[in-house]
Amino acid sequence: MNYRRLGRSGLKVSEISLGSWLTYGKSVEDNTAEKTIHKAYELGINFFDSANVYERGQGEIVMAKALKEFARESYVITTKAFWPMGDGPNDRGLSRKHVFEQLHNSLKRMELDYVDIFYCHRYDPETPVDETLRVIDDLIRQGKILYAGVSEWTAAQIEEAVGIADKYLLDRIVVNQPQYNMLHRYIEDEVIPVSTKYGISQVVFSPLAQGVLTGKYLTGNIPENSRAANDDINMFVKGLLNEDVQRKVAQLDTLAKELDTTLPALAIAWILRQPNVASALVGASRPEQIEANVKGASLQLSSEVINRIEEILA
């Protein structure tokens, strides 16, 4: 496993990280989740991602419990806040009240003194950015958060956050968590250039496009135990199962075979070609899946291969 610095910070995270969205505490049995998390740690992954909203805290509980047997300083764990956690008017967003309460609730669920990274799970147009950044800065000073991040913020929103942090001498964000893969590339135009300018890394989720870039759907049939077959979690992947995407995936799969590698490894290696990406955040429901994903971290792509991928994706 290789490790990269997270933005302008001194924190080093594994190029592959493991998330709990749509898996732990939901579609994956707890014992299997624990084995998968342990396998990830064994393979050198030190970066584990969760959020309060993942099954109303169950994702956090399962992940933190599985990591308990390891030294706390040996791994990086995250949580987030923004999405509704109740029916009240203050049970969502990035207000001082909601952020403060949700961070403490997360720490209690995970039985931790601090989280390494706290993400603003989306941009909140109803709360001044300085209010949000100030409460996060307060929690950083209290030692309950080590680093601040955002998820799916636009380039303009990131630039706004940096300007406000500098104006009020608050801790800057060091990481953004957007979706990024061969089929979703919007961050290349503005988000990555702005982030590079201000020393902010990307930790990208859905690097395999909800499993589409594993090639499991190429036959036209949906495997029984796949994400697309589960009506509780297939709301995102179904939109990718079209003829144009299938054509591209088939060509990418052929290229992977020519290179004597797998399509998931090729897709992850393609993401890690970006120096502004610190880590590719994968989901895994079985230990063998995380083993397969890790292979992408050791695969180096030549400029010729990257050009061929561009031709396919075009």
Side-chain angles (χ1 to χ4, degrees):
M1 181 58 61
N2 299 313
Y3 302 87
R4 298 187 182 188
R5 282 181 58 198
L6 192 70
R8 61 192 292 272
S9 79
L11 183 65
K12 293 180 181 178
V13 297
S14 49
E15 289 184 336
I16 307 296
S17 44
L18 179 63
S20 55
W21 180 47
L22 300 179
T23 51
Y24 308 145
K26 186 175 179 73
S27 62
V28 178
E29 193 267 333
D30 288 358
N31 185 54
T32 303
E34 182 175 306
K35 290 178 180 178
T36 305
I37 293 166
H38 286 182
K39 174 57 69 173
Y41 187 91
E42 176 188 316
L43 293 170
I45 290 175
N46 74 341
F47 197 7
F48 299 88
D49 182 85
S50 196
N52 63 344
V53 75
Y54 297 164
E55 297 311 298
R56 293 291 176 94
Q58 277 301 119
E60 292 175 318
I61 291 170
V62 171
M63 181 160 275
K65 182 180 179 182
L67 292 168
K68 276 291 182 185
E69 67 180 70
F70 306 122
R72 178 64 184 90
E73 63 271 17
S74 68
Y75 60 86
V76 173
I77 193 167
T78 80
T79 192
K80 312 177 185 73
F82 169 78
W83 298 107
M85 288 294 286
D87 298 326
N90 292 307
D91 289 337
R92 65 168 295 160
L94 296 176
S95 67
R96 171 176 283 273
K97 177 176 174 63
H98 189 66
V99 168
F100 184 89
E101 291 172 348
Q102 289 307 310
L103 184 274
H104 284 91
N105 289 343
S106 292
L107 292 177
K108 185 176 181 180
R109 280 191 293 268
M110 293 192 285
E111 299 181 1
L112 295 173
D113 296 323
Y114 68 94
V115 291
D116 297 277
I117 300 168
F118 177 85
Y119 289 100
C120 299
H121 210 161
R122 289 297 185 272
Y123 184 86
D124 183 3
E126 297 184 354
T127 301
V129 175
D130 61 291
E131 176 180 336
T132 301
L133 294 183
R134 192 174 292 280
V135 67
I136 293 173
D137 189 77
D138 288 345
L139 292 165
I140 288 173
R141 292 174 187 276
Q142 293 171 25
K144 296 173 181 177
I145 295 170
L146 301 188
Y147 300 95
V150 297
S151 178
E152 289 282 27
W153 283 31
T154 66
Q157 290 162 352
I158 290 170
E159 199 149 27
E160 178 187 8
V162 171
I164 289 172
D166 289 353
K167 179 179 179 180
Y168 295 110
L169 301 180
L170 306 173
D171 264 47
R172 276 189 183 186
I173 60 174
V174 297
V175 57
N176 176 47
Q177 189 181 108
Q179 180 176 191
Y180 182 57
N181 55 58
M182 288 175 166
L183 306 176
H184 292 93
R185 303 178 61 176
Y186 79 95
I187 65 170
E188 292 178 353
D189 294 335
E190 295 183 354
V191 172
I192 285 180
V194 165
S195 297
T196 300
K197 176 181 176 181
Y198 293 114
I200 298 167
S201 284
Q202 313 302 311
V203 171
V204 302
F205 70 86
S206 199
L208 299 179
Q210 299 289 308
V212 172
L213 289 171
T214 65
K216 68 174 70 175
Y217 304 114
L218 278 176
T219 61
N221 298 317
I222 297 179
E224 184 177 343
N225 295 323
S226 67
R227 182 168 292 187
N230 188 333
D231 288 337
D232 290 334
I233 59 175
N234 66 6
M235 67 291 286
F236 301 103
V237 67
K238 276 192 169 180
L240 294 171
L241 300 181
N242 60 62
E243 185 177 336
D244 180 56
V245 169
Q246 293 288 69
R247 176 182 56 79
K248 292 176 180 178
V249 173
Q251 293 180 43
L252 291 167
D253 189 53
T254 299
L255 175 58
K257 288 181 171 65
E258 288 178 18
L259 298 173
D260 195 26
T261 189
T262 65
L263 179 54
L266 180 68
I268 288 173
W270 179 86
I271 285 172
L272 293 175
R273 86 199 190 288
Q274 285 276 7
N276 186 243
V277 171
S279 187
L281 177 59
V282 303
S285 54
R286 300 185 304 277
E288 53 266 31
Q289 288 182 333
I290 199 70
E291 289 181 301
N293 291 338
V294 163
K295 293 177 182 178
S298 59
L299 180 62
Q300 299 294 319
L301 303 182
S302 67
S303 57
E304 179 186 357
V305 170
I306 291 173
N307 288 337
R308 286 186 64 185
I309 291 172
E310 290 295 331
E311 292 172 3
I312 292 170
L313 297 179

